[in-house]
Amino acid sequence: DGGITQSPKYLFRKEGQNVTLSCEQNLNHDAMYWYRQDPGQGLRLIYYSQIVNDFQKGDIAEGYSVSREKKESFPLTVTSAQKNPTAFYLCASSIGSGGQPQHFGDGTRLSIL
Amino acid sequence: AQSVSQHNHHVILSEAASLELGCNYSYGGTVNLFWYVQYPGQHLQLLLKYFSGDPLVKGIKGFEAEFIKSKFSFNLRKPSVQWSDTAEYFCAVTLSTGYSTLTFGKGTMLLVSP
């Protein structure tokens, strides 16, 4: 079955450390997204990529970085510059641009030790 | 700025009660509208979508939503809820032309008591 795989499901980080969250899709989708979900805040867009080797900042990109070297993969790095990294992170993909439905992974819950 | 507003953060209903969750948006242009649902411990999944045509759209599990352009609204409805409908519901909007990312509302947590 096609889908989006996020790993790990739970991640713990010490303050001052960078950490990378994995997102892989086998849906052959061009566009991929990273969201942060906090209680009562809905989903907020961190970064998105419309095509390989291209990505754009979303609404809350500060303290995060991404890469898109392969169509299937869109890893997110939470850097030590992110002051409040504890959250639930969701990766999504869609066929293309223009408001197509997005398919979501199961998410990664990041906690600071 | 583009925004999506969901009227209720928490809704508690008994089984068989009718449901209506409000969603209003502020967007300049023609829009595509979505409702997503997140069941406890599961990933976000698409409940229904509106792109064009009949403003009353039907989704999975007996849900429907009505797009009222004059009111900038896309309310979600279900005539009779079940305990299994307990979940968080998100309204989302994007422009239908060009490239536009989804803007999500803050979500409504629905708790259905048996």
Side-chain angles (χ1 to χ4, degrees), chain A residues 1-15:
Chain A
D1 283 341
I4 299 177
T5 301
Q6 289 188 243
S7 61
K9 192 168 184 176
Y10 299 95
L11 191 57
F12 299 91
R13 188 193 99 171
K14 292 182 180 179
E15 284 193 39

Side-chain angles (χ1 to χ4, degrees), chain A residues 1-2 12 18 22-23 29 45-46 49 54-55 57 63-65 74 81 83 87 89 94-96 102:
Chain A
D1 283 341
F12 299 91
N18 294 353
S22 170
C23 178
H29 285 171
L45 184 65
I46 304 172
S49 168
D54 183 56
F55 49 82
K57 293 181 179 180
Y64 300 97
S65 66
F74 191 41
K83 299 305 178 189
Y89 291 87
S94 64
I95 289 174
Q102 294 181 11

Side-chain angles (χ1 to χ4, degrees), chain A residues 9 31 33 35 37 40-43 45 48-50 88 90 94 96-106, chain B residues 9 32 34 36 38 41-46 49 51 88 90 94-102 104-107:
Chain A
K9 192 168 184 176
Y33 313 82
Y35 294 91
Q37 185 178 11
Q41 300 246 26
L43 277 70
L45 184 65
Y48 63 99
S49 168
Q50 298 179 56
F88 190 53
L90 287 169
S94 64
S97 59
Q100 295 300 314
Q102 294 181 11
H103 298 255
F104 287 83
D106 288 337
Chain B
H9 294 304
N32 291 347
F34 307 85
Y36 284 87
Q38 189 173 33
Q42 296 188 27
H43 62 267
L44 220 67
Q45 54 187 289
L46 184 66
K49 64 184 186 287
F51 283 9
E88 191 159 19
F90 295 93
T94 186
L95 291 174
S96 59
T97 57
Y99 189 84
S100 174
T101 56
L102 276 179
F104 283 85
K106 292 187 176 182

Side-chain angles (χ1 to χ4, degrees), chain B residues 51-99:
Chain B
F51 283 9
S52 63
D54 187 346
L56 184 63
V57 293
K58 296 190 183 299
I60 60 172
K61 304 186 180 184
F63 285 91
E64 65 179 29
E66 184 175 14
F67 170 49
I68 303 179
K69 189 175 181 179
S70 60
K71 295 185 178 181
F72 300 92
S73 71
F74 190 55
N75 292 356
L76 181 71
R77 300 194 293 247
K78 186 170 184 179
S80 175
V81 295
Q82 301 171 320
W83 175 79
S84 59
D85 292 324
T86 294
E88 191 159 19
Y89 293 81
F90 295 93
C91 181
V93 183
T94 186
L95 291 174
S96 59
T97 57
Y99 189 84

